[in-house]
Amino acid sequence: MTDPKIEYQWDGTQWGMVVDVDRCIGCEACMIACQSENNIPSIGEDQAAMGRIMDWIHLERFYTGEYPEVTAEFIPMLCQQCGNAPCESVCPVFASVHTTDGLNAQVYNRCVGTRFCANNCPYHVRKFNYYPPTWPSPLEQQLNPDVTARKSGVMEKCTFCVQRIRKGEMEARLDGEPIHDGQIRTACVQSCPTQALIFGDLNDPDSAVSKHARSHRAMRVLEEKNTDAHVIYLRAERIENAF
Amino acid sequence: MSFEQRLLKFFRTLILVGAIVTGVVLWIVQWSMTRPQTQPIAFSHQVHVGQRQISCFYCHTGAMKGDIAGVIAVQDCMQCHQTVAADHPEIQKISERWFKTKQPIVWAKVYKMPKHVHFSHRVHIAFLSRNNPDALADPGKTICIKCHGDVPNMKVIGAPVSLPMVLTGNMNPNTGMGFCVDCHRANGGPMDCTACHR
Amino acid sequence: MDITRREFLQWTLVTGAAVTLAGCATPPHQALVSQLELPEYRLPGEARWYASACQECASGCGVSVRVIDGRAKKIEGIPEHPVNHGKLCAKGHSALQALYHPERLTSVTRRGGQSSGWDDAVKALGSQLDAAAAKKGSMLWITRSLHGTQGAVMAALAERAGAKLWVLEFPGTVSQRAAMKSLVGKAELPYYPIQEADYIVNFGSDFLFTGNSPVHDAWAYGEFRQGKKRDRRGTLVSFSPRMNLTDSNSDKWIPVRPGSEGWVAAVLASLVNPSNRLSVPLETVSKITGVERDTFERLAERLRRAQRPLAIAGAQNGAYSNGVWNIAMIQTLNRTLSGKLESFEPDLLTQISGMKPSANLFVSTQEAIAGLEQGKFETIWVLDGNPRYLLPKKINFEALFSKAKNKVVFSNYVNETTLLADWVLPTQTWLESWGDRLIRGPFGEKSEVASVYNLQQPVVIGRDGTMSVPDILLMAAGKSSLNGGLGENLHAVLKSHFSDESEWENSLLRGGAWEPFSIEWEAYLGKNTHPLYPPPTVKKEAKAPSGINIWELLKKSSVADSGEAKFSGEGKVLIPFVSNLGDGSLANRPWMQELRDPLTTTVWTHWVELSYSVAKELGVERGDMVRLTSANGTLTGPAYPNIALHPDAVAVPVGQGHFSYGMYANRGENPLSILDPVWQEGTGELAWVGTRVKVEKTGDKGRLITFDNRWDSYPKEFMPL
């Protein structure tokens, strides 16, 4: 039983990302780049043992087959910035809102920590600060002043590096120049060695993301949930007979 | 009355009295915070901006081109004050820092944003001067006062903050979120949360 | 307790009022500071980007560091850089935590814990240098790989002091160099044009995760798979005993018995080009490797049809006692497939003051330990690395190290080796100090960049009390009679490489020089032939006729007596593998501890990988504690049944098991400590994979923190697999 597929139409800039699973090697450079850029805390061994790993992008590793015929895939999983987000409708204080340029914004100062949004997210990408994050001095010197360092009781998730988007837009406006494709990149996209991640405006038919999103390999994860995800994945191209 | 009842009555009175005392103490503390903050050196904006007509950007160098306005270095204060009013006791505090103790001046910040707000001066000054670029030569008259109040006439920076503003956790004269949103709404600025909250 | 409604309301109101009034809190204090001096062009709070060279590994990636108000905030790649093309790996990003680590050493410490000053330290070092020069061969320097001008300074000073240089690394590149020396006469690292290949056979080399140039190779891999200019997607096939990250990205992975990777390559070389004679029947090789005959034949056929096939060797195949032979065989296959063997050298030393280190400056691990046992070294300086952690317990480094009269350790933090030292000197990270890297290519999309010069500059002021290793050495040399022309500090030496000021400025802005090179550099590179490691004793340089008798080849070169890997002990082969913690030095960075292992998704703990069949045999499930026993120690750890591991092997990640490296690192167990000292043929280095261990269940349950079970319930059809 599947719902009829609804096509969503959005006007103006719609930020989106393409993830080429065939290029992704699972090196996790994106994970650390994100952690460095967005002041993501390390929670420690005990909290991790409770299952509370804190990251905004991570890799899901899938094994296929049985020994000795084993293959593996890595799928980077991050907030899909859904156009029809299951997390936005359930927040009682409107901390999870949608912007006009396609981002699912998390407003930390509104969040009261009901965790209903994380409950509703089918991708399990929302992470909660159960305890106040700590940075033993002088580790806090590394924190990025463009991003709010969250306290306990606040939900967080990938923001498509909104601080870079807003800064890039502001500078482009003040300089009087239009934003060209590839000028604004998220931290993970910038760092990915294999160029498996591409970021840009999905509504611009000439942008790299749009071109890749039209690939025959393109799909969205959990498409049947009808979330209008703005992250498009390109299937891996494993061949049946390597030799 | 039984022992139990007296005990309960005692506790009830205790809580009530405690609450009133705590409340009174807190109100007194917060009233004291509505007084203008004491600065390490009695710098007067009225003298420098109102009388001497020095441009805001001369000292607050980051305001026009960056996000944070900042405040000039001690070395730059000394450029004038090596000779100008060099025997004034407040100026001697600066000379002492420059020549002897080599300490930077830590001011009591008056116009503060909470940590979850990301504000860019550059964008706002560009907006406020968009129809009148000449105003940038003398921003104290028209641009900066829009948010910072009547600075050219302030002997001590930071007009007294009103008690209601303090009670709502907002120490900034004229810069609560409502103030920002009103101006954005009236002038077509971004109404998107992520414009300031990232 | 009976309570009336009225009383209840009164209680509620009173407590409610109390809570409300108490909740009026005061906002936090913030500061506004007039700095003492501020240049006019510096806007407060504005970011400035400084180009530098990452020194976390041998690759030499060019990086750009974002600095705000004198604090390093983010490290990113330089987009035009031919090595990393603007990308950066996890290790590079985590260097910020090394810089701002809460446990940085900030003062010179002497034995007994008392602090000392740099003046005393440098004077003492100077007199130790003089003493060593008077008695050549009585000083030992232990370090990790040397590169650039800072390496040249080290080598030059060691040469003058008559010191021996011991390069100790895990897993190390010596086996690759020895193999290349036997095949092409140059002890350089093999270069693989991955982005140009269409069919790659990998032999367990983890080139995408660790290795000689992971970021560059990963970039090349991206192009290999889905590059826009390609006519078809490249195919990758892997042979290894344990599926590592690179193997997990292959189209087909074939398990082989540990140590037999070279045999697979030898067979393939003989099948692809029948004039390569392998005088061992195919069935024998099938038995040795565990790979079926049919696999060899089909793959050889496919390789014959490929247009640009490539075979890749790496440190992982070189970690056995027959490691050099393994790599030589794989490179022989490579030459059979592509007709040539290319090399590159990431660890060139730039010349200083006309000094060229001699070949007998270096000692192998075996020679160094023999020397230590004989008590030959009066003074030992540990310039980089943590030898007490890396070396197996059987070698008893503590006792050997303690034989020396003067023990100086240069380190950023307290570690296991600094505990044994007489002098502990606090050093700087690459973000705070000068340096450079010279890498002989080829790099670039079409391999058109011949060489890359990376200039590393300090992006922040060094932590109070710290100094960089080359500066300490130059100062110490200045206090001794050995300086003469070496230079005052590294900054001065680097600047003297450049013929004019504008070239220096340009290099600082760009992060180095690669294209175009100035005339000076071209001439310079031509002269630059510094050997870095002891050239392995290869009696005969193997020529490469079109038909190679592989069996004869391995008999003639004394690289290995036979192609068989030697393992000591009994039981399963213990494979210590490179994890996110590198050689253990990254274990004190919380980001790296909390970064999931890509294949097992484990954080913070070590684990023991067993194959599914072995786990079933022992009745072990994920998380059950198992004990590995070698002839020289035991290791316990939570089991992780690994779907892609040869049943003859068990695997444990390297990096945990510190006991004196700080709050983040002191956890887990170290597999290197229980290794038997098995020596590699031809190099005198330790064979990291040479120990067999008994595996048994302890009956307890351990803590294994994994995160790979969250998407199990979703049907795979809905995933982009």
Side-chain angles (χ1 to χ4, degrees):
Chain A
M1 186 187 85
T2 48
D3 289 321
K5 197 158 176 303
I6 303 170
E7 290 288 338
Y8 292 93
Q9 297 284 344
W10 304 98
D11 293 327
T13 310
Q14 290 289 300
W15 297 107
M17 192 182 284
V18 163
V19 178
D20 190 343
V21 176
D22 205 36
R23 282 190 185 235
C24 176
I25 54 174
C27 71
E28 302 183 326
C30 54
M31 288 169 70
I32 294 265
C34 175
Q35 191 149 28
S36 176
E37 170 82 17
N38 292 297
N39 304 339
I40 298 176
S42 299
I43 52 169
E45 187 179 340
D46 295 328
Q47 288 288 301
M50 282 198 256
R52 295 170 176 171
I53 194 80
M54 174 65 76
D55 44 52
W56 289 9
I57 182 170
H58 66 273
L59 300 174
E60 290 293 338
R61 183 266 302 126
F62 288 89
Y63 281 124
T64 313
E66 277 180 20
Y67 182 86
E69 308 280 333
V70 183
T71 52
E73 280 309 335
F74 295 96
I75 296 179
M77 184 48 61
L78 62 158
C79 173
Q80 307 282 295
Q81 311 286 345
C82 306
N84 185 22
C87 60
E88 287 169 7
S89 43
V90 297
C91 177
V93 293
F94 296 103
S96 174
V97 292
H98 213 76
T99 67
T100 46
D101 54 359
L103 301 175
N104 173 262
Q106 181 68 24
V107 187
Y108 305 120
N109 35 310
R110 293 198 78 115
C111 178
V112 289
T114 59
R115 309 190 324 258
F116 202 160
C117 54
N119 206 26
N120 234 26
C121 173
Y123 305 99
H124 303 311
V125 285
R126 283 177 156 274
K127 303 292 158 74
F128 188 68
N129 288 289
Y130 286 91
Y131 288 97
T134 54
W135 287 273
S137 180
L139 279 174
E140 84 285 351
Q141 299 292 332
Q142 180 274 326
L143 293 178
N144 185 355
D146 292 336
V147 177
T148 311
R150 284 75 60 191
K151 285 191 190 160
S152 58
V154 166
M155 187 67 74
E156 60 184 62
K157 65 169 187 73
C158 165
T159 59
F160 269 3
C161 282
V162 65
Q163 70 278 5
R164 291 186 177 204
I165 298 175
R166 294 289 171 255
K167 220 176 189 154
E169 284 176 339
M170 179 186 89
E171 273 166 20
R173 196 167 60 240
L174 288 173
D175 293 339
E177 311 237 337
I179 300 174
H180 56 261
D181 185 40
Q183 184 179 344
I184 298 176
R185 287 185 304 167
T186 63
C188 51
V189 167
Q190 184 177 21
S191 236
C192 176
T194 54
Q195 301 176 80
L197 302 174
I198 309 164
F199 182 75
D201 182 4
L202 283 171
N203 265 1
D204 170 9
D206 296 322
S207 68
V209 258
S210 297
K211 288 193 188 144
H212 281 92
R214 292 193 285 265
S215 156
H216 65 278
R217 296 189 288 138
M219 64 166 284
R220 288 191 277 215
V221 172
L222 305 181
E223 182 90 63
E224 78 283 4
K225 303 247 179 249
N226 210 19
T227 53
D228 187 31
H230 278 47
V231 177
I232 289 138
Y233 290 79
L234 303 182
R235 257 184 246 270
E237 278 193 271
R238 283 287 176 266
I239 52 180
E240 277 308 312
N241 296 306
F243 52 83
Chain B
M1 264 193 294
S2 77
F3 172 73
E4 206 179 62
Q5 280 175 312
R6 266 185 290 148
L7 192 65
L8 283 174
K9 191 159 184 217
F10 170 71
F11 277 125
R12 249 192 320 226
T13 338
L14 188 65
I15 288 175
L16 194 58
V17 167
I20 292 173
V21 167
T22 315
V24 166
V25 165
L26 286 172
W27 275 57
I28 292 173
V29 167
Q30 283 164 356
W31 170 85
S32 74
M33 298 188 83
T34 65
R35 304 296 99 208
Q37 292 164 282
T38 38
Q39 302 286 353
I41 296 171
F43 177 86
S44 166
H45 276 89
Q46 194 201 35
V47 168
H48 291 79
V49 185
Q51 290 174 22
R52 301 285 166 203
Q53 308 265 326
I54 298 174
S55 160
C56 311
F57 297 138
Y58 187 82
C59 300
H60 299 287
T61 46
M64 195 156 70
K65 294 207 194 98
D67 293 348
I68 302 171
V71 66
I72 57 164
V74 179
Q75 183 182 36
D76 300 317
C77 299
M78 289 309 295
Q79 277 182 357
C80 289
H81 283 297
Q82 264 182 347
T83 48
V84 174
D87 45 1
H88 191 287
E90 293 298 318
I91 309 280
Q92 286 183 341
K93 284 188 196 165
I94 309 178
S95 326
E96 203 189 305
R97 280 167 193 272
W98 175 248
F99 288 115
K100 289 213 201 74
T101 59
K102 299 288 185 200
Q103 288 292 315
I105 307 172
V106 181
W107 303 100
K109 197 167 182 185
V110 171
Y111 299 97
K112 293 187 271 213
M113 290 288 190
K115 283 196 199 156
H116 53 260
V117 176
H118 298 274
F119 177 82
S120 168
H121 269 94
R122 183 183 173 201
V123 143
H124 291 85
I125 288 177
F127 175 76
L128 289 169
S129 63
R130 71 197 182 288
N131 293 325
N132 184 14
D134 296 330
L136 287 174
D138 191 6
K141 280 226 176 59
T142 46
I143 297 183
C144 310
I145 58 172
K146 285 255 183 330
C147 302
H148 290 290
D150 190 13
V151 175
N153 287 322
M154 286 183 191
K155 285 210 184 71
V156 181
I157 191 68
V161 181
S162 67
L163 194 55
M165 294 178 78
V166 171
L167 289 180
T168 49
N170 164 30
M171 290 293 285
N172 299 308
N174 272 350
T175 48
M177 180 168 167
F179 177 79
C180 303
V181 172
D182 286 342
C183 190
H184 274 224
R185 192 176 278 131
N187 292 297
M191 294 299 290
D192 162 31
C193 304
T194 56
C196 312
H197 296 299
R198 305 167 199 159
Chain C
M1 168 178 96
D2 279 335
I3 187 164
T4 65
R5 205 167 295 155
R6 175 188 253 190
E7 279 168 343
F8 177 76
L9 280 172
Q10 282 177 334
W11 274 106
T12 318
L13 275 169
V14 159
T15 48
V19 166
T20 314
L21 285 171
C24 301
T26 52
H29 165 78
Q30 291 174 17
L32 178 68
V33 177
S34 279
Q35 298 291 348
L36 211 53
E37 291 175 358
L38 203 63
E40 236 177 66
Y41 55 82
R42 289 271 285 270
L43 299 180
E46 285 298 289
R48 296 175 67 78
W49 297 83
Y50 293 96
S52 187
C54 179
Q55 302 278 15
E56 292 293 320
C57 81
S59 304
C61 297
V63 296
S64 191
V65 185
R66 183 186 191 216
V67 178
I68 298 178
D69 286 343
R71 304 286 184 260
K73 299 291 184 185
K74 183 105 200 303
I75 305 176
E76 303 179 4
I78 296 173
E80 313 86 49
H81 202 277
V83 173
N84 58 328
H85 302 270
K87 310 298 178 180
L88 195 63
C89 73
K91 226 160 60 164
H93 280 110
S94 71
L96 291 171
Q97 293 215 311
L99 170 64
Y100 291 123
H101 204 277
E103 290 156 348
R104 283 284 296 270
L105 287 172
T106 50
S107 63
V108 175
T109 340
R110 308 218 39 197
R111 179 167 279 281
Q114 76 212 91
S115 289
S116 188
W118 277 109
D119 291 331
D120 292 334
V122 167
K123 253 197 249 147
L125 292 181
S127 54
Q128 285 175 19
L129 282 173
D130 282 331
K135 189 175 170 195
K136 301 257 177 191
S138 65
M139 195 181 211
L140 176 67
W141 286 13
I142 310 176
T143 180
R144 293 190 290 185
S145 55
L146 303 167
H147 11 254
T149 304
Q150 57 274 29
V153 164
M154 222 184 271
L157 195 55
E159 187 88 42
R160 289 179 186 199
K164 292 292 181 193
L165 208 47
W166 175 19
V167 176
L168 177 63
E169 287 185 303
F170 172 80
T173 57
V174 184
S175 48
Q176 292 176 69
R177 294 174 185 279
M180 286 298 277
K181 173 105 191 183
S182 72
L183 291 172
V184 299
K186 282 193 286 186
E188 293 192 346
L189 294 177
Y191 172 73
Y192 301 111
I194 294 168
Q195 69 274 24
E196 292 164 17
D198 66 340
Y199 202 98
I200 299 180
V201 185
N202 179 34
F203 291 89
S205 161
D206 205 359
F207 61 87
L208 293 176
F209 183 62
T210 172
N212 301 329
S213 198
V215 180
H216 177 263
D217 288 345
W219 166 84
Y221 175 86
E223 296 302 295
F224 166 73
R225 288 299 202 186
Q226 295 289 341
K228 273 194 278 261
K229 303 177 194 130
R230 299 182 64 89
D231 47 353
R232 58 164 17 146
R233 176 180 178 270
T235 307
L236 172 65
V237 168
S238 291
F239 289 90
S240 67
R242 172 186 179 266
M243 179 191 267
N244 56 36
L245 188 75
T246 308
D247 299 332
S248 71
N249 286 293
S250 50
D251 296 287
K252 191 164 174 72
W253 169 75
I254 299 129
V256 293
R257 204 155 271 128
S260 64
E261 292 93 320
W263 281 104
V264 178
V267 164
L268 289 173
S270 70
L271 289 174
V272 168
N273 185 348
S275 60
N276 292 334
R277 285 153 291 142
L278 178 67
S279 29
V280 173
L282 202 49
E283 279 71 25
T284 315
V285 181
S286 247
K287 270 211 211 82
I288 297 175
T289 58
V291 177
E292 301 193 353
R293 181 200 174 113
D294 179 54
T295 307
F296 287 131
E297 284 168 348
R298 283 187 299 126
L299 179 56
E301 175 57 40
R302 182 68 184 81
L303 285 170
R304 269 195 288 262
R305 284 189 286 125
Q307 286 177 333
R308 291 176 307 278
L310 193 60
I312 297 185
Q316 281 72 19
N317 346 101
Y320 307 99
S321 65
N322 69 340
V324 179
W325 185 84
N326 275 341
I327 299 179
M329 287 301 111
I330 298 168
Q331 287 292 75
T332 305
L333 171 62
N334 210 358
R335 184 149 51 186
T336 310
L337 292 175
S338 62
K340 57 181 169 82
L341 283 182
E342 293 179 71
S343 66
F344 85 111
E345 184 48 76
D347 288 341
L348 282 175
L349 304 186
T350 58
Q351 236 176 20
I352 56 164
S353 67
M355 222 234 79
K356 198 168 153 178
S358 62
N360 58 10
L361 173 63
F362 297 92
V363 288
S364 68
T365 302
Q366 205 167 19
E367 290 168 347
I369 291 178
L372 285 167
E373 278 167 357
Q374 292 159 22
K376 269 209 320 215
F377 303 110
E378 274 178 24
T379 307
I380 306 180
W381 289 8
V382 180
L383 294 160
D384 188 17
N386 190 351
R388 185 177 178 192
Y389 176 81
L390 280 188
L391 293 169
K393 267 204 293 260
K394 176 76 163 91
I395 291 185
N396 201 353
F397 181 76
E398 299 92 83
L400 297 178
F401 193 57
S402 307
K403 284 193 185 173
K405 218 169 47 176
N406 303 306
K407 304 179 278 291
V408 181
V409 178
F410 298 65
S411 178
N412 292 338
Y413 322 97
V414 171
N415 61 33
E416 287 78 10
T417 310
T418 64
L419 291 179
L420 306 169
D422 296 321
W423 288 89
V424 180
L425 304 179
T427 51
Q428 295 180 330
T429 61
W430 58 267
L431 288 162
E432 307 154 280
S433 56
W434 289 96
D436 62 9
R437 298 293 306 272
L438 186 54
I439 309 165
R440 185 185 296 128
F443 292 106
E445 299 219 11
K446 289 185 194 55
S447 304
E448 73 277 13
V449 177
S451 313
V452 174
Y453 178 73
N454 285 334
L455 185 57
Q456 169 205 332
Q457 61 169 322
V459 302
V460 291
I461 295 177
R463 288 286 289 275
D464 257 347
T466 59
M467 277 217 327
S468 72
V469 173
D471 282 346
I472 301 172
L473 292 177
L474 287 170
M475 279 182 72
K479 286 277 188 265
S480 75
S481 53
L482 300 179
N483 189 351
L486 277 179
E488 217 185 276
N489 53 41
L490 199 66
H491 175 219
V493 180
L494 288 175
K495 216 163 167 189
S496 68
H497 287 325
F498 292 82
S499 50
D500 68 79
E501 189 76 24
S502 68
E503 265 188 26
W504 167 252
E505 295 287 338
N506 277 339
S507 284
L508 281 176
L509 279 172
R510 290 184 71 183
W514 40 90
E515 187 109 279
F517 255 82
S518 76
I519 309 286
E520 294 283 318
W521 280 120
E522 292 294 352
Y524 180 85
L525 286 173
K527 288 187 290 186
N528 202 327
T529 52
H530 293 173
L532 289 181
Y533 298 100
T537 44
V538 176
K539 288 201 190 112
K540 218 164 181 163
E541 291 220 2
K543 293 282 190 277
S546 58
I548 309 165
N549 185 322
I550 296 171
W551 194 245
E552 287 303 316
L553 174 69
L554 65 91
K555 272 199 194 147
K556 277 187 195 155
S557 74
S558 70
V559 168
D561 285 331
S562 74
E564 263 199 67
K566 292 198 181 61
F567 300 104
S568 76
E570 47 185 53
K572 307 287 179 193
V573 174
L574 172 60
I575 301 180
F577 61 90
V578 178
S579 68
N580 274 325
L581 305 179
D583 61 354
S585 57
L586 306 181
N588 69 343
R589 300 182 191 181
W591 281 352
M592 299 312 279
Q593 284 278 10
E594 214 162 278
L595 188 64
R596 311 172 198 205
D597 177 70
L599 289 169
T600 62
T601 69
T602 314
V603 299
W604 289 105
T605 65
H606 72 297
W607 62 95
V608 177
E609 291 182 10
L610 312 170
S611 68
Y612 272 17
S613 54
V614 170
K616 197 154 155 215
E617 228 176 84
L618 295 171
V620 159
E621 282 179 357
R622 195 192 276 200
D624 290 341
M625 291 296 266
V626 291
R627 184 184 307 120
L628 305 179
T629 313
S630 74
N632 292 301
T634 53
L635 178 144
T636 39
Y640 184 98
N642 185 344
I643 193 176
L645 180 65
H646 194 279
D648 196 28
V650 294
V652 182
V654 173
Q656 306 283 17
H658 288 275
F659 56 87
S660 170
Y661 196 36
M663 55 178 163
Y664 299 116
N666 290 348
R667 60 190 73 239
E669 299 202 25
N670 176 12
L672 300 177
S673 60
I674 70 168
L675 294 182
D676 299 332
V678 176
W679 298 105
Q680 188 170 69
E681 289 164 30
T683 60
E685 296 299 317
L686 274 170
W688 300 110
V689 186
T691 309
R692 285 191 181 273
V693 290
K694 280 201 285 279
V695 186
E696 50 194 353
K697 188 175 166 180
T698 67
D700 302 318
K701 255 208 144 22
R703 179 185 252 187
L704 178 68
I705 308 172
T706 53
F707 292 92
D708 59 351
N709 53 356
R710 297 197 168 178
W711 285 76
D712 282 348
S713 55
Y714 287 114
K716 286 226 176 103
E717 305 88 75
F718 295 115
M719 306 303 291
L721 296 171

